[in-house]
Amino acid sequence: GVVIAVVSGVVITRRGLQPLQEITEATRRITGSRLSARMGHKHWPAELDALASAFDQMLDRLEEAFNRLSQFSADLAHELRTPINNLMVETEVALSRPRTVEEYRHLLESTMEDFERLSRMTESLLFLARADSSQSPLKYQRVNAIHELESVREFYEALAEEKGVKLQCTGVASLEVDSMLFRRAVGNLVANAIRHTP
């Protein structure tokens, strides 16, 4: 009787653990290039069905985030390539022969726009990295709004002058904000206004 009980226990245990082993094998097959694999709607035991469903939902979220990151990387590479290529070409042309002071000045003015574009991209990257980081909480503080706006105005002043736009800050106010995010939001508005309006 003892022998029969032991053998029956082993068989029942193995059969009961079979679905868990299948889940384990399925998770081992999931890699960065195979995020589309899912547990599926097999006839899992009731105890494991919720686990399999939650695992598939987690994979859905991971795959979506991974696809967004891949698309962002591709877009970023494309955006960075243009100003970098412009800077390289302009520098090569400038170095091809001796030039006058006025020609060098014109070259520096031309490259300034590309440097500003790279600077804005870097700020965007830092902003996105901070926004996605749960370890960087918002830092609210009382700030002088005119000082914050002046820093934005100074940053975009050269670009505005080139487009024939005058930026001016007036008024008095204090705000309770995260100063970096506030400057970022206003900077986006100013950049779009300079780029798309007369």
Side-chain angles (χ1 to χ4, degrees):
V2 171
V3 171
I4 292 174
V6 170
V7 171
S8 299
V10 170
V11 171
I12 292 171
T13 302
R14 284 184 177 176
R15 184 175 297 174
L17 291 177
Q18 184 64 33
L20 192 57
Q21 290 175 349
E22 292 178 13
I23 289 178
T24 303
E25 288 301 319
T27 57
R28 285 176 179 163
R29 290 193 295 269
I30 296 170
T31 62
S33 58
R34 293 190 59 197
L35 285 175
S36 59
R38 297 291 183 272
M39 298 296 173
H41 298 288
K42 295 184 179 180
H43 297 292
W44 301 112
E47 296 81 3
L48 296 178
D49 190 53
L51 174 63
S53 177
F55 194 83
D56 282 348
Q57 291 172 8
M58 179 192 69
L59 287 175
D60 288 337
R61 294 191 298 271
L62 285 175
E63 185 176 21
E64 182 183 356
F66 189 80
N67 289 337
R68 283 202 313 267
L69 181 60
S70 298
Q71 185 61 47
F72 174 75
S73 299
D75 292 344
L76 177 63
H78 179 73
E79 288 292 325
L80 287 174
R81 183 171 55 187
T82 301
I84 290 175
N85 284 343
N86 289 345
L87 290 168
M88 290 175 62
V89 169
E90 290 171 351
T91 303
E92 287 175 2
V93 169
L95 294 175
S96 62
R97 63 179 177 81
R99 298 182 181 274
T100 64
V101 173
E102 188 59 33
E103 287 176 324
Y104 280 122
R105 179 180 179 81
H106 178 71
L107 172 68
L108 291 174
E109 289 174 351
S110 176
T111 58
M112 186 64 185
E113 184 177 347
D114 289 317
F115 281 125
E116 287 176 350
R117 187 174 177 185
L118 287 171
S119 177
R120 287 194 298 272
M121 287 185 206
T122 304
E123 279 196 4
S124 296
L125 286 174
L126 291 173
F127 171 74
L128 290 173
R130 180 177 176 182
D132 287 341
S133 174
S134 60
Q135 298 179 351
S136 298
L138 296 177
K139 297 178 181 178
Y140 290 105
Q141 57 184 340
R142 180 68 58 177
V143 298
N144 186 328
I146 198 70
H147 289 166
E148 300 296 322
L149 294 176
E150 275 293 338
S151 68
V152 175
R153 186 193 65 78
E154 290 174 3
F155 181 81
Y156 287 100
E157 188 173 24
L159 182 60
E161 286 180 359
E162 182 182 323
K163 298 288 186 178
V165 176
K166 182 179 180 181
L167 300 178
Q168 185 176 347
C169 297
T170 59
V172 177
S174 61
L175 301 170
E176 180 117 4
V177 294
D178 184 307
S179 59
M180 192 202 83
L181 295 183
F182 176 71
R183 287 195 301 268
R184 178 72 186 159
V186 175
N188 284 339
L189 293 173
V190 173
N192 286 331
I194 293 172
R195 195 174 297 116
H196 300 295
T197 63

